[in-house]
Structure formats: structure tokens, C-alpha cells
Amino acid sequence: MKRFLALFCALFMISSFAFADDEPQINTNEDIDQEQPKDEEKDVVIKSSVNLNEPGDQFIKISLMMTCPLNFGGDFPLYRQGKMSTGGAGSLGYHRFITSWWAWGIDVFFGYHPTLGENIFTYIPIVFNTTIQPTYKRFEFPITVGLGVAMENYLSRTYFPGFIFKSQAGAFFRATPSWSFGIEGDFMYMPQWYDDSQYNDYGIFASFVIAARYHF
């Protein structure tokens, strides 16, 4: 009986040591502190990856807009008040940050406006622009001005190169580090100048814009 008890105790001790190696290791508070970043470090990572732009950062912008002619008119009837209806436009642009708040870029547009005679006035501007962009947390507020040229077409007549001036202001939300979405207000001045000044005219347009930007 004593031999049996001794053998039982020996087996119990051996099994205890064997299972002790299989028990999960518990990290100490010191180990947890080393593995987990501090709250301040987390905030820096989130801000730098979501909210801040660095020099050299780039984005591609895709926009759709509803465009209203303000047509204060001239002698040429196309731009006169009431001769042109509300139209639309789309644009694709590339922009690059020079500093964390200042960027330059280029946008290519395609726009159209129906006329009272059920014809279509179309224009394709290429605009070089500069943007100042204040930020607050995940919100970005770009203010853009640009100059460029446009090809304009109405019926069988094409006007090129036409001068164009654009300005924009808007608000964007950075949903992810790669994507931001927002709205903008757009002002565009697009004159037509001819050798015979009696045909000179100008168009003034205001647009409501929805846009998406891909950041990389």
C-alpha cells in the first residue's frame, strides 16, 4: 500500500510539471505598457494618417456639377439672359501639395448647356489652378483659383482658344486616409473676344459641385 501511495504521489508531481508548461503566459503591466502605444502616440498616428497632408502628397479629384448661367449678356445673343438653360459638367483633376496647406494642379472639364432653340452649347476647359486648404480634424476646406483655356462649340461654330477664370470654395470630409468627399461652390467667367468687337460677349456661371478625391 505504501508503494502504491508513493507511486501515485510521484505521478501527480510529474503531471503537474508537465501541464505547467502548457499554461498561458500572462504579461505583466510592464510588458503591456511596452506593447501598447501611449494615447499621445495613437493620436499622432491617427492625425498624421488621416488629417494632415505632407509636401509631395497627391490626389485625383472627380467632380460632377450643376451649372447655372448668370448671363448678364452682351451683343452676341448666346449669353444673353434667358437664352441658355441650366446645364451640367464633369471634371477630372490632378493636384499635388507643395506644403501641407498649399497645392497646385490641373483640371479638365466637359460642360454643356441647352438653349431655348433646343440646341446644345458645349465647352471643354483646361484650367491650371492653385489651392489653399485649411484643415480642422477630418474636415478640409479648399479654396481654389485657376486660369486656363476653353474650346467652345455651338451649332457649327467653334471658338478656341477661349480664356477662362474659375474660383472654388468647399468643404470635404476625409473618410479614410485615401478618400475624401465634399461639396463646393464654383464661379466661372468665360468671355468670347473677336476681331470685330460688336460680337464680343461673356458668360458668367455658378455651379454646385459634388466631388470625391483619391489621396496617395
Side-chain angles (χ1 to χ4, degrees):
M1 183 67 180
K2 291 181 180 180
R3 290 180 180 179
F4 177 78
L5 290 175
L7 180 61
F8 178 80
C9 292
L11 291 173
F12 177 77
M13 293 181 66
I14 293 171
S15 62
S16 298
F17 286 118
F19 285 105
D21 294 334
D22 295 333
E23 291 180 1
Q25 296 182 355
I26 300 176
N27 292 334
T28 63
N29 291 335
E30 183 178 355
D31 294 334
I32 293 175
D33 290 339
Q34 292 177 355
E35 294 176 1
Q36 300 294 331
K38 296 180 181 180
D39 291 339
E40 294 82 2
E41 295 174 351
K42 289 182 180 179
D43 291 339
V44 171
V45 171
I46 293 173
K47 289 179 181 178
S48 61
S49 63
V50 176
N51 293 323
L52 298 180
N53 296 292
E54 300 294 337
D57 287 354
Q58 305 163 74
F59 67 87
I60 295 173
K61 180 181 176 183
I62 304 171
S63 303
L64 293 175
M65 58 194 74
M66 179 179 68
T67 303
C68 302
L70 304 181
N71 304 346
F72 299 122
D75 294 328
F76 186 62
L78 181 59
Y79 283 156
R80 284 185 181 174
Q81 182 68 33
K83 296 292 185 181
M84 189 181 294
S85 302
T86 298
S91 72
L92 178 66
Y94 165 81
H95 301 258
R96 182 184 181 91
F97 280 92
I98 306 303
T99 70
S100 60
W101 53 268
W102 175 42
W104 65 269
I106 181 172
D107 291 303
V108 179
F109 295 79
F110 176 80
Y112 76 96
H113 285 274
T115 65
L116 288 184
E118 298 184 353
N119 298 306
I120 300 294
F121 167 68
T122 60
Y123 55 97
I124 304 176
I126 301 175
V127 180
F128 299 89
N129 51 52
T130 183
T131 299
I132 295 175
Q133 182 174 269
T135 61
Y136 176 74
K137 294 184 177 179
R138 290 194 176 193
F139 292 94
E140 301 173 305
F141 304 95
I143 301 170
T144 302
V145 294
L147 295 174
V149 295
M151 182 174 69
E152 307 167 40
N153 181 266
Y154 179 68
L155 297 178
S156 61
R157 190 174 67 192
T158 298
Y159 182 85
F160 181 83
F163 169 78
I164 183 170
F165 168 78
K166 287 179 67 69
S167 62
Q168 293 174 305
F172 283 78
F173 177 72
R174 185 71 73 91
T176 71
S178 297
W179 287 97
S180 62
F181 304 91
I183 58 174
E184 291 182 303
D186 183 295
F187 170 85
M188 181 173 64
Y189 172 69
M190 192 164 58
Q192 292 184 343
W193 294 319
Y194 294 90
D195 294 335
D196 189 346
S197 60
Q198 67 174 326
Y199 295 109
N200 289 353
D201 204 351
Y202 60 93
I204 298 177
F205 303 87
S207 301
F208 172 76
V209 184
I210 57 173
R213 306 188 301 182
Y214 174 69
H215 303 260
F216 59 99

